[in-house]
Amino acid sequence: ETGVTQSPTHLIKTRGQQVTLRCSSQSGHNTVSWYQQALGQGPQFIFQYYREEENGRGNFPPRFSGLQFPNYSSELNVNALELDDSALYLCASSFLANTGELFFGEGSRLTVL
Amino acid sequence: GQQVMQIPQYQHVQEGEDFTTYCNSSTTLSNIQWYKQRPGGHPVFLIQLVKSGEVKKQKRLTFQFGEAKKNSSLHITATQTTDVGTYFCAGETSGSRLTFGEGTQLTVNP
């Protein structure tokens, strides 16, 4: 086990709704990265948080936003959900930004109807 | 932007056969990582390669990083049913985040 926990594990939303996904990073890790993994695809980088600040963003629209808290846990928020947002959302923590092994959580499986 | 391509997309082998997956980047990488994702699971880190021409072994797994630091390979000798899963390479360039390939899905027939 990596020590990275995510909630909820599964959820179903309808188009236009909003969703918040949560992640607790591994003890001692100050960096959290979020990835979107569509079925049969590799993980796509959404953004990274380092010491409560956004530290890089992938090619995702502004309706994808996030937060990191003083205890280094993190949230991913997605507004105005679209059908294509259906995917596995993975949180990964690491000790340092920009380098080194990523420790992934089990993921949150989002289905948008 | 940076692209990382993996081939093959799927590989079916008989238990005991060897398996190789190849990874190519459109840009020179500072390092490359390999992950394994079991069906229904999450990616699990296998290894990181940093040096040009580097070769690392983990039991039956051999990882190589190309001389130009733009390609890599993972070779599994004598596959076992426990090797089933999708293998991803993920390349990192200076100042950018890990870019994952599409993965190679390995099935092993007992």
Side-chain angles (χ1 to χ4, degrees), chain A residues 38-112:
Chain A
L39 201 60
Q41 309 267 325
Q44 300 293 314
F45 175 71
I46 303 175
F47 43 57
Q48 182 186 82
Y49 280 84
Y50 172 65
R51 292 186 175 179
E52 302 178 59
E53 298 284 334
E54 187 177 290
N55 183 42
R57 188 180 182 92
N59 190 26
F60 280 81
R63 60 190 185 82
F64 285 78
S65 63
L67 283 173
Q68 188 179 32
F69 300 100
N71 66 354
Y72 303 130
S73 65
S74 178
E75 284 184 357
L76 164 64
N77 299 289
V78 187
N79 294 322
L81 284 167
E82 300 177 359
L83 299 180
D84 285 349
D85 295 333
S86 296
L88 179 67
Y89 288 85
L90 294 161
C91 166
S93 77
S94 55
F95 178 62
L96 293 172
N98 302 339
T99 187
E101 174 182 354
L102 295 179
F103 294 80
F104 283 91
E106 299 283 344
S108 294
R109 172 77 60 188
L110 171 65
T111 302
V112 182

Side-chain angles (χ1 to χ4, degrees), chain B residues 7-44:
Chain B
I7 55 169
Q9 187 175 2
Y10 302 97
Q11 186 76 61
H12 309 281
V13 300
Q14 288 294 127
E15 190 172 19
E17 291 181 338
D18 292 356
F19 159 77
T20 304
T21 173
Y22 300 91
C23 179
N24 288 285
S25 170
S26 58
T27 58
T28 302
L29 301 170
S30 56
N31 69 77
I32 194 158
Q33 299 178 19
W34 285 90
Y35 290 79
K36 176 184 178 181
Q37 186 172 21
R38 294 183 186 275
H42 59 280
V44 174

Side-chain angles (χ1 to χ4, degrees), chain B residues 21-110:
Chain B
T21 173
Y22 300 91
C23 179
N24 288 285
S25 170
S26 58
T27 58
T28 302
L29 301 170
S30 56
N31 69 77
I32 194 158
Q33 299 178 19
W34 285 90
Y35 290 79
K36 176 184 178 181
Q37 186 172 21
R38 294 183 186 275
H42 59 280
V44 174
F45 176 83
L46 294 176
I47 208 159
Q48 176 173 288
L49 305 172
V50 179
K51 299 177 183 177
S52 170
E54 189 170 14
V55 178
K56 286 189 176 180
K57 293 189 176 184
Q58 289 179 350
K59 296 183 180 178
R60 293 178 296 105
L61 278 60
T62 302
F63 303 85
Q64 292 188 318
F65 200 11
E67 294 291 340
K69 300 183 75 172
K70 295 182 73 173
N71 62 287
S72 181
S73 65
L74 158 60
H75 179 81
I76 302 178
T77 303
T79 54
Q80 300 175 358
T81 54
T82 53
D83 296 325
V84 165
T86 301
Y87 292 85
F88 293 99
C89 65
E92 190 167 34
T93 61
S94 177
S96 80
R97 304 296 176 266
L98 276 179
T99 300
F100 281 77
E102 294 299 307
T104 296
Q105 185 176 323
L106 172 65
T107 56
V108 180
N109 296 320

